[in-house]
Amino acid sequence: MRISRAVAATAALLVTALAATGCVAVHGSSTPVEALDRREAGKVLHDYEVQNNQAYANRDLPLNARVEAGSLGALDQAGLKILSFTDPRGNLGKAPITHERPEFLIPKMIGWPKWFAVHSTPNFNNAKPQLLVFVKANPDAVWQAAWGPTLQSPLPELKKDADGYLEPVAPTTSGLAAAPGELAPVLTEFLKDGKTRAELFGPDPYTAQLRRQRDEPIGEGFVRQTVDGAANQFPPLAVRTKDGGALVLFALQHSIKLTVQPPRRLGDVDPSTLTFLAGKPTRSVTEHRLSEYVAVVPKAGGKVQLVGWMYGLVGADGE
């Protein structure tokens, strides 16, 4: 089972005492503050685990939508629809998913939205570490899990202040190999031909696999069209690393269309894809997918390394 979940909209600063977090945000303030302390972050994680396990046990999409948003929410909402179609009995009787040895990574920020991350390992067999990110859109909103990529490599050491809080990095920050806001469009260009801005990225097996899929030949009479793009509806998040670089979360969206030429017809379609279709397609099927990434971005002149990702089906069309 994939662990994942949520994202935020922008809100104006308010003169508000945050009873839930013990933090005060003042209109016009130029002082970065953390949105919660580690004890409160632990409670957010616990409440999320309880509700999300319940959502998966009962295939409860509305409950999942209350605790998740963003790219993680999009992936898990689609995942629950697929499970409701392919395995409607639910997860009743299965052990709940929890996050072991959580490390809470909390940036100090000005205004809203605010966010924090949990670096931990889910408790199922052979699980890899995960970066689970919670976002709160405004003082009156609830915390929702918005990102949840699986880590394939250790995280770099992050820059922390004397109290252990992180330093956020803006999407347009200069002095890096690429600004956080540039990573999604640049990776999109690279996926198109495997050459554009190829020098920016260090080798990683996931991107190499995506490139192979785009170049692999398909059977005679079949046409495959792939459109990759930045998922701009999920703005990137970034924090400073100890060496002056940045750790960045960003997302891409992908549409892959397979069309057959008459008199050929499509063969069997994967049940996951059928979840989103009104009937069985005969001429073409388009899968819409979403991917999240964790990137280590060095200072200008270095190579970006993708150290974590999540990829999933979020919709489909057929003819």
Side-chain angles (χ1 to χ4, degrees):
M1 170 182 169
R2 183 179 63 250
I3 308 298
S4 37
R5 331 332 190 191
V7 90
T10 307
L13 282 175
L14 302 174
V15 181
T16 310
L18 303 184
T21 65
C23 166
V24 177
V26 180
H27 179 71
S29 171
S30 60
T31 304
V33 293
E34 68 279 8
L36 76 179
D37 62 28
R38 289 169 182 78
R39 178 187 59 80
E40 293 160 339
K43 185 177 186 306
V44 170
L45 176 62
H46 172 74
D47 291 347
Y48 166 75
E49 289 174 338
V50 171
Q51 294 180 75
N52 205 47
N53 278 305
Q54 183 180 344
Y56 268 83
N58 298 307
R59 304 294 187 247
D60 189 336
L61 275 76
L63 177 56
N64 172 261
R66 290 201 294 273
V67 298
E68 292 189 347
S71 55
L72 181 56
L75 285 161
D76 280 351
Q77 282 283 295
L80 276 170
K81 288 178 184 177
I82 293 169
L83 288 172
S84 296
F85 182 77
T86 61
D87 184 19
R89 295 180 59 189
N91 285 2
L92 293 173
K94 295 185 180 180
I97 298 297
T98 58
H99 297 77
E100 299 179 341
R101 302 179 300 279
E103 176 189 8
F104 298 103
L105 305 172
I106 305 173
K108 283 186 174 180
M109 290 163 285
I110 299 171
W112 298 88
K114 282 185 168 57
W115 62 273
F116 73 94
V118 182
H119 180 208
S120 65
T121 302
N123 64 335
F124 54 84
N125 290 337
N126 301 316
K128 291 186 175 182
Q130 179 191 21
L131 195 64
L132 183 62
V133 178
F134 292 88
V135 177
K136 185 172 181 175
N138 59 64
D140 298 320
V142 297
W143 286 102
Q144 294 177 294
W147 304 78
T150 299
L151 298 174
Q152 309 296 326
S153 303
L155 292 180
E157 191 171 357
L158 302 177
K159 181 180 179 181
K160 297 180 181 179
D161 66 14
D163 298 317
Y165 294 104
L166 308 183
E167 177 187 318
V169 175
T172 56
T173 298
S174 60
L176 300 169
E182 294 177 339
L183 287 179
V186 167
L187 184 57
T188 295
E189 291 301 312
F190 172 70
L191 288 177
K192 287 180 181 178
D193 58 15
K195 298 175 183 178
T196 304
R197 297 297 298 273
E199 75 285 352
L200 179 62
F201 297 98
D204 73 87
Y206 179 70
T207 308
Q209 179 183 353
L210 288 184
R211 281 296 314 139
R212 283 196 300 271
Q213 290 173 353
R214 281 145 183 76
D215 289 339
E216 283 173 353
I218 53 178
E220 183 180 350
F222 290 79
V223 176
R224 180 176 55 218
Q225 299 164 286
T226 302
V227 178
D228 303 297
N232 294 320
Q233 66 272 39
F234 309 123
L237 300 177
V239 290
R240 185 72 67 183
T241 56
K242 190 174 182 179
D243 61 6
L247 184 73
V248 183
L249 286 155
F250 68 98
L252 298 185
Q253 50 200 8
H254 318 270
S255 293
I256 304 98
K257 182 176 183 180
L258 183 68
T259 304
V260 297
Q261 305 301 316
R264 292 180 174 81
R265 296 170 64 87
L266 285 174
D268 293 335
V269 177
D270 188 275
S272 296
T273 303
L274 287 175
T275 300
F276 303 97
L277 304 178
K280 187 177 183 300
T282 58
R283 182 174 181 270
S284 72
V285 62
T286 304
E287 293 185 342
H288 305 293
R289 294 182 175 271
L290 183 65
S291 56
E292 296 181 343
Y293 295 90
V294 185
V296 177
V297 182
K299 289 190 252 188
K303 286 186 176 290
V304 174
Q305 191 68 49
L306 302 177
V307 297
W309 46 80
M310 178 184 293
Y311 180 73
L313 182 69
V314 293
D317 301 301
E319 299 177 21

